[in-house]
């Protein structure tokens, strides 16, 4: 099937919508895979950093997300400085999650837009023919609903991946906060 056959079967708007949703889908998968691998690696490392701190070591490893955000700071680690490092670390690991949320909320509407335009074009063509039977209308509407299906197919993984990554970020945030608690707790 070449482009012109596809253009005959679907309107220009529907092809643009399907292309847009395809790009969204590819970006959603890429963001999820990339962010998931980074967050899981950071989570694993921060667990080890917490275990080290609980084992009696009183200094924050430089490779920790907290430590890397405090490089160049010569002052004693205070709770506000550690909170700053935590906030910056969370900001850095959540890059891309907003895009997933945007795709999850807009993809169904983009698909619906393609469907509505395709149905409007189909009805205008059917209006030229006075024979509008179910045999004629059903395939046209079926073809028009492809854009809505593509929108939903794009939105579901985006929404699921966004929630999944948010949960991983929450776990990471918890480990970082626990490190802060250990660092600022009074030493006995």
């Amino acid at each position: 099937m070449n482009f012109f056959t596809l253009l005959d079967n679907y309107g220009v708007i529907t092809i643009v919508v399907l292309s847009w949703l395809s790009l969204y889908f590819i970006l959603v998968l890429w963001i999820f895979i990339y962010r998931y691998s980074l967050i899981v690696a950071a989570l694993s490392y921060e667990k080890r950093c917490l275990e080290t701190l609980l084992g009696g070591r009183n200094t924050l490893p430089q490779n920790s997300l907290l430590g890397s955000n405090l490089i160049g700071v010569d002052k004693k680690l205070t709770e506000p400085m550690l909170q700053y490092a935590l906030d910056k670390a969370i900001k850095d690991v959540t890059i891309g999650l907003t895009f997933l949320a945007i795709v999850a909320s807009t993809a169904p509407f983009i698909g619906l837009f393609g469907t509505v335009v395709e149905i409007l074009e189909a009805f205008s063509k059917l209006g030229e023919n006075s024979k509008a039977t179910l045999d004629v209308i059903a395939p046209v509407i079926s073809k028009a609903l492809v854009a809505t299906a593509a929108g939903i197919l794009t939105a579901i993984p985006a929404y699921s991946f966004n929630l999944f990554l948010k949960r991983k970020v929450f776990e990471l945030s918890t480990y970082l906060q626990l490190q802060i608690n250990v660092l600022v707790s009074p030493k006995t």
Side-chain angles (χ1 to χ4, degrees):
M1 179 183 282
N2 64 26
F3 179 74
F4 296 109
T5 307
L6 190 64
L7 198 53
D8 269 349
N9 289 335
Y10 296 100
V12 173
I13 296 292
T14 303
I15 291 173
V16 168
V17 164
L18 291 174
S19 300
W20 188 351
L21 291 171
S22 297
L23 178 63
Y24 263 7
F25 190 76
I26 291 166
L27 289 173
V28 162
L29 287 176
W30 182 81
I31 288 171
F32 175 71
I33 292 168
Y34 180 69
R35 283 283 147 204
Y36 177 76
S37 63
L38 287 178
I39 293 170
V40 166
L43 195 56
S44 172
Y45 187 77
E46 296 306 325
K47 282 180 189 178
R48 287 193 306 268
C49 288
L50 178 61
E51 290 167 2
T52 303
L53 286 171
L54 290 172
R57 184 173 170 199
N58 290 343
T59 59
L60 188 63
Q62 286 290 359
N63 294 347
S64 146
L65 288 175
L66 294 175
S68 64
N69 287 321
L70 294 173
I71 291 176
V73 176
D74 294 332
K75 301 176 187 172
K76 183 177 185 265
L77 293 179
T78 62
E79 193 167 355
M81 288 174 50
L82 290 167
Q83 191 61 46
Y84 161 80
L86 170 68
D87 293 342
K88 184 165 179 351
I90 297 304
K91 181 186 112 1
D92 291 344
V93 296
T94 57
I95 292 172
L97 269 62
T98 302
F99 182 76
L100 294 178
I102 289 169
V103 170
S105 62
T106 60
F109 294 110
I110 294 168
L112 186 60
F113 172 73
T115 296
V116 169
V117 169
E118 189 73 29
I119 287 175
L120 288 173
E121 288 178 10
F123 280 142
S124 71
K125 289 178 186 172
L126 288 174
E128 296 168 3
N129 276 346
S130 55
K131 286 188 155 195
T133 65
L134 188 58
D135 293 341
V136 174
I137 294 175
V140 171
I141 292 177
S142 171
K143 188 173 59 170
L145 289 172
V146 167
T148 298
I152 293 169
L153 181 67
T154 303
I156 290 171
Y159 182 73
S160 301
F161 294 162
N162 185 33
L163 290 178
F164 187 75
L165 290 176
K166 275 184 173 179
R167 178 62 191 163
K168 289 293 182 191
V169 168
F170 173 75
E171 289 176 35
L172 180 63
S173 174
T174 301
Y175 279 108
L176 293 173
Q177 185 61 51
L178 289 171
Q179 288 178 39
I180 291 172
N181 294 347
V182 169
L183 288 167
V184 297
S185 67
K187 310 300 182 246
T188 56

